[in-house]
Amino acid sequence: MSAALIDGKAFAEGLRQKIAKFAGEFEAKAGRKAGLAVVLVGEDPASQVYVRSKGKATLAAGMNSLEYKMPADSTEEALIAKVKELNADPAVDGILVQLPLPKGLDEQAVISTIDPDKDVDGFHIINAGRLSVGQKGFVPCTPLGCLMLLKDRLGDLSGKDAVVIGRSNIVGKPMAQLLTDANATVTIAHSRTANLPEVVKRADIVVAAVGRPEMVKGDWIKPGATVIDVGINRVDGEDGKTKLVGDVDFDSAREVAGAITPVPGGVGPMTIAVLLRNALVSAYRRENIALDEDAL
Ligand code: NDP
């Protein structure tokens, strides 16, 4: 059996079209465009690529993109001052500080400065708290994108056994929380988990967010399970060029799984689409304009 492919690229494209429609309605009602500000400190090449594609996607969705580039030797005070300026700017609905920050800058201190109601990455401790007690806030983009793919594929997740491999604050933990809220029975696995293959084998849903190339093998997977591969790992291909692989050994897993996300083209495209969604939701909330957030 070969698993169905979960096409995150197509799903993200559909989501972006919906966002563009709602962004147009927002502009008509609020008399201004929704605005997403991105702050990039330093010259990290991968971060530059991410920031550029976020900016392009924001504009394509009919929203304002504000980019602030600061030198790598910026002080924490200067960065915090910039964040405070954006907090106070009424045209800014979402603020994202591109991570990682250059050495010497305290990420937690900077993120804690972002107004939680503009924290569209969902990394502020207030938003982590809101998620854990079931209050409305912002949920980190990657796990929310994974949940959307799962619901699209499986519908109701009630009673499903889910295993999340990885317990980071930005992927694993919020993913486990979202699955719990969706009434799945959730196990969080990590580097100290005993008998990981056996733990994974119980799961109807596997979310791998580990950062280890092709670690999860096909014979760990329960036949028919749905596999969401969050991993993005650059490895040397046989042709000598680097290629992207996930945390799941795609070739063996697709023989067993019921459905699986490819890498690239699975979870990756969802992250930016959900970022735009969160920024637009923020704009509607800040202007007190009604929006069915579940429709987005
Ligand atoms: P972190 O490094 O923060 O967390 C990795 C987690 O994996 C940790 O909880 C760690 O356990 C666990 N882990 C490490 N080794 C093993 C092992 N051998 N067995 C079981 N668990 C293990 O990574 P992130 O959560 O930030 O990212 C995970 C992956 O997702 C990366 O490949 C990253 O590139 C990708 N990613 C993709 C995104 C996208 O847009 N698609 C966005 C964000 C991340 P412990 O806690 O015990 O150390």
Side-chain angles (χ1 to χ4, degrees), residues 22-97:
F22 281 101
E25 289 176 12
F26 175 82
E27 188 178 354
K29 287 179 182 158
R32 68 170 181 90
K33 287 187 185 220
L36 173 62
V38 177
V39 183
L40 173 63
V41 187
E43 315 267 307
D44 177 65
S47 293
Q48 285 177 328
V49 172
Y50 288 139
V51 166
R52 214 173 304 131
S53 42
K54 283 169 189 169
K56 265 169 60 183
T58 308
L59 294 174
M63 295 159 63
N64 257 342
S65 168
L66 304 114
E67 272 177 39
Y68 299 92
K69 295 196 173 133
M70 300 179 66
D73 59 0
S74 299
T75 61
E76 203 168 294
E77 291 70 33
L79 179 53
I80 284 178
K82 172 53 74 185
V83 169
K84 286 184 173 164
E85 185 189 311
L86 297 171
N87 283 344
D89 185 340
V92 171
D93 298 294
I95 302 169
L96 180 152
V97 177

Side-chain angles (χ1 to χ4, degrees), residues 18-294:
K18 259 193 270 178
I19 292 164
K21 176 177 159 279
F22 281 101
E25 289 176 12
F26 175 82
E27 188 178 354
K29 287 179 182 158
R32 68 170 181 90
K33 287 187 185 220
L36 173 62
V38 177
V39 183
L40 173 63
V41 187
E43 315 267 307
D44 177 65
S47 293
Q48 285 177 328
V49 172
Y50 288 139
V51 166
R52 214 173 304 131
S53 42
K54 283 169 189 169
K56 265 169 60 183
T58 308
L59 294 174
M63 295 159 63
N64 257 342
S65 168
L66 304 114
E67 272 177 39
Y68 299 92
K69 295 196 173 133
M70 300 179 66
D73 59 0
S74 299
T75 61
E76 203 168 294
E77 291 70 33
L79 179 53
I80 284 178
K82 172 53 74 185
V83 169
K84 286 184 173 164
E85 185 189 311
L86 297 171
N87 283 344
D89 185 340
V92 171
D93 298 294
I95 302 169
L96 180 152
V97 177
Q98 183 65 44
L99 302 179
L101 291 174
K103 281 203 181 71
L105 298 177
D106 179 351
E107 291 184 354
Q108 210 44 60
V110 173
I111 289 168
S112 304
T113 311
I114 299 174
D115 177 348
D117 293 332
K118 293 188 177 187
D119 167 43
V120 287
D121 249 346
F123 293 166
H124 195 292
I125 202 162
I126 294 275
N127 281 316
R130 285 170 172 162
L131 176 62
S132 84
V133 297
Q135 283 180 12
K136 202 156 95 172
F138 289 110
V139 175
C141 304
T142 302
L144 184 53
C146 294
L147 185 77
M148 289 177 180
L149 294 178
L150 281 168
K151 285 189 164 169
D152 182 59
R153 172 79 205 166
L154 297 171
D156 187 8
L157 306 185
S158 293
K160 303 273 186 210
D161 267 313
V163 170
V164 178
I165 318 173
R167 56 176 165 181
S168 71
N169 291 334
I170 62 169
V171 189
K173 279 185 203 151
M175 187 72 244
Q177 186 69 53
L178 288 170
L179 287 164
T180 305
D181 293 347
N183 299 317
T185 304
V186 183
T187 302
I188 305 177
H190 44 75
S191 67
R192 308 295 176 90
T193 297
N195 302 323
L196 184 60
E198 281 170 37
V199 171
V200 172
K201 192 104 193 177
R202 294 201 298 261
D204 306 307
I205 294 168
V206 180
V207 180
V210 188
R212 305 222 177 263
E214 302 176 320
M215 185 188 84
V216 178
K217 306 298 179 199
D219 59 7
W220 299 17
I221 308 282
K222 176 173 162 179
T226 303
V227 178
I228 304 288
D229 190 352
V230 183
I232 300 179
N233 308 289
R234 253 166 248 281
V235 297
D236 292 332
E238 276 150 26
D239 56 3
K241 292 185 188 150
T242 58
K243 60 170 187 168
L244 287 186
V245 297
D247 291 338
V248 177
D249 178 21
F250 183 80
D251 290 339
S252 64
R254 78 176 305 185
E255 294 306 315
V256 190
I260 185 167
T261 56
V263 177
V267 173
M270 291 300 292
T271 300
I272 289 186
V274 176
L275 172 69
L276 302 178
R277 178 226 174 253
N278 282 356
L280 187 61
V281 164
S282 173
Y284 272 88
R285 287 181 188 168
R286 295 183 62 253
E287 295 288 351
N288 260 322
I289 301 172
L291 172 72
D292 176 8
E293 294 181 10
D294 293 333

